[in-house]
Amino acid sequence: MTLWIGLLLGLILLGAALYWLLIVTEGVFLGRRMVVWLYDITAHKYDGIKAFDDEAERFFVVRPLRHHLRHIPTPLILDVAAGTGRLSSYMLDEATFNGRIIGLDPARKMLNLAALKLAPYRHRAMLVQGTAVPLPFPDNSFHAVTCLESLEFFPSDQAALAEMTRVLKPGGVLMVTRRRGKDAKFFLNRSRSREQFESMLTDLGLVGVNTQPWQLDYDQVFGKKS
Ligand SMILES: C[S@@+](CC[C@H](N)C(=O)[O-])C[C@H]1O[C@@H](n2cnc3c(N)ncnc32)[C@H](O)[C@@H]1O
C-alpha cells in the first residue's frame, strides 16, 4: 500500500515538473535547442492559441512604433523572435508605413508560417533564421528593434538586449516586453521586476526607458539609443 502511495506521489511530482518545464516555462530551463524545438513542433497552433485581436495589435503595437518613427520616411525595423510574423504583418498592413522589416527567428516552422503571411509584402519583408545572440547584423543598422513576448525564453535576456542595442542606430527605438503576471514567478531567477528591467536597459546605454502596462502577462518597455 505504502509502495503504491509512493509511486502515485512520484508520478504526480513528475507530471508537475514536466508541466512546469515544458508548458509553463516552454523549455527554457532545458536549453535553447529545446525552446526552439518546442516552437517548431507547435508552430501550426501558435496563431490559434494567441488569437491576436486586430484592433488591439494596431493600437498597442503599430501605433507606438509608428509614433516613434514618424520622422523617418522609410524606416528599417528588426523584429527579433519574429515568430509567425505578427509584428511585421500588422506593421506592413498599415497604409502609412513605408518602411522595411527584417524578422529573425530560430524556429524554421514559425518562419515558414511568417513567410506565408508576409508574401503580399515580399519586397519589404525579409526573414532570417537565427538566434538573438549574436545578431547577424552590423552595429547601428536599424531605426527600430522590437522583441515581443520572447525575452524570457532566451538563454540570457541581458545578452540579447545588448545585441539589440548594438544594432540600433543612435536615436533608434527599442520596443520589447517584460514578462509579468501570475506565471512570471515560475521563471524563478529569470524573472525581473519592472525596476530591475528598466535599470538593465539603462545600463546598456538606453535613455528615456519607460514601461507601459499592456496585457496580463506582459508590459511593453521602450527606450532609445542615445
Ligand atoms: C512567444 S513566441 C513570440 C513570437 C512573436 N514575437 C509574437 O509576439 O508572436 C517566442 C519566439 O521566440 C523564438 N525564440 C526562442 N528562442 C530564441 C532565441 N534564442 N533567439 C531568438 N528567438 C528565439 C521562438 O522560436 C518563438 O518564435
Side-chain angles (χ1 to χ4, degrees):
M1 186 67 179
T2 332
L3 178 71
W4 287 111
I5 293 174
L7 263 177
L8 187 66
L9 278 177
L11 277 176
I12 292 171
L13 279 177
L14 181 68
L18 285 175
Y19 185 77
W20 169 65
L21 281 170
L22 299 176
I23 310 291
V24 180
T25 57
E26 301 187 13
V28 71
F29 292 102
L30 301 172
R32 178 174 61 77
R33 282 168 201 274
M34 177 59 89
V35 174
V36 176
W37 180 73
L38 287 174
Y39 272 102
D40 260 331
I41 61 166
T42 55
H44 60 289
K45 293 189 182 157
Y46 184 80
D47 283 357
I49 293 170
K50 288 284 187 178
F52 297 120
D53 176 77
D54 294 351
E55 211 171 309
E57 294 299 303
R58 284 190 202 107
F59 190 80
F60 288 104
V61 178
V62 175
R63 187 190 51 98
L65 210 45
R66 289 287 296 125
H67 174 74
H68 283 286
L69 297 170
R70 64 193 179 283
H71 299 307
I72 303 162
T74 54
L76 180 61
I77 300 175
L78 171 67
D79 185 31
V80 177
T84 57
R86 169 198 195 169
L87 181 133
S88 313
S89 59
Y90 280 105
M91 280 303 285
L92 291 166
D93 194 44
E94 168 71 40
T96 57
F97 177 71
N98 296 312
R100 288 169 297 140
I101 308 186
I102 298 181
L104 173 137
D105 200 286
R108 171 49 62 196
K109 292 196 174 145
M110 295 290 274
L111 286 179
N112 289 346
L113 293 169
L116 289 177
K117 219 181 270 180
L118 299 176
Y121 318 99
R122 230 180 7 255
H123 53 297
R124 293 201 289 138
M126 184 180 158
L127 295 168
V128 175
Q129 187 176 22
T131 53
V133 181
L135 287 172
F137 307 104
D139 298 358
N140 308 326
S141 299
F142 297 94
H143 297 100
V145 177
T146 58
C147 183
L148 301 184
E149 303 187 16
S150 302
L151 278 168
E152 68 275 27
F153 304 119
F154 295 177
S156 162
D157 57 355
Q158 190 172 17
L161 287 164
E163 274 296 89
M164 294 181 211
T165 308
R166 177 184 68 75
V167 301
L168 255 188
K169 285 181 188 290
V173 66
L174 180 80
M175 179 172 99
V176 298
T177 52
R178 181 189 75 87
R179 185 79 182 231
R180 64 166 202 183
K182 65 178 174 41
D183 282 355
K185 60 182 176 301
F186 293 115
F187 286 80
L188 309 179
N189 59 339
R190 308 174 61 90
S191 163
R192 290 182 194 271
S193 68
R194 175 180 171 155
E195 292 71 26
Q196 287 167 334
F197 197 91
E198 288 186 350
S199 70
M200 173 171 62
L201 292 187
T202 307
D203 291 347
L204 287 171
L206 293 158
V207 294
V209 173
N210 74 91
T211 300
Q212 305 292 329
W214 184 20
Q215 313 167 29
L216 286 177
D217 286 332
Y218 289 99
D219 280 338
Q220 275 178 320
V221 189
F222 297 87
K224 276 199 171 186
K225 184 163 168 177
S226 58

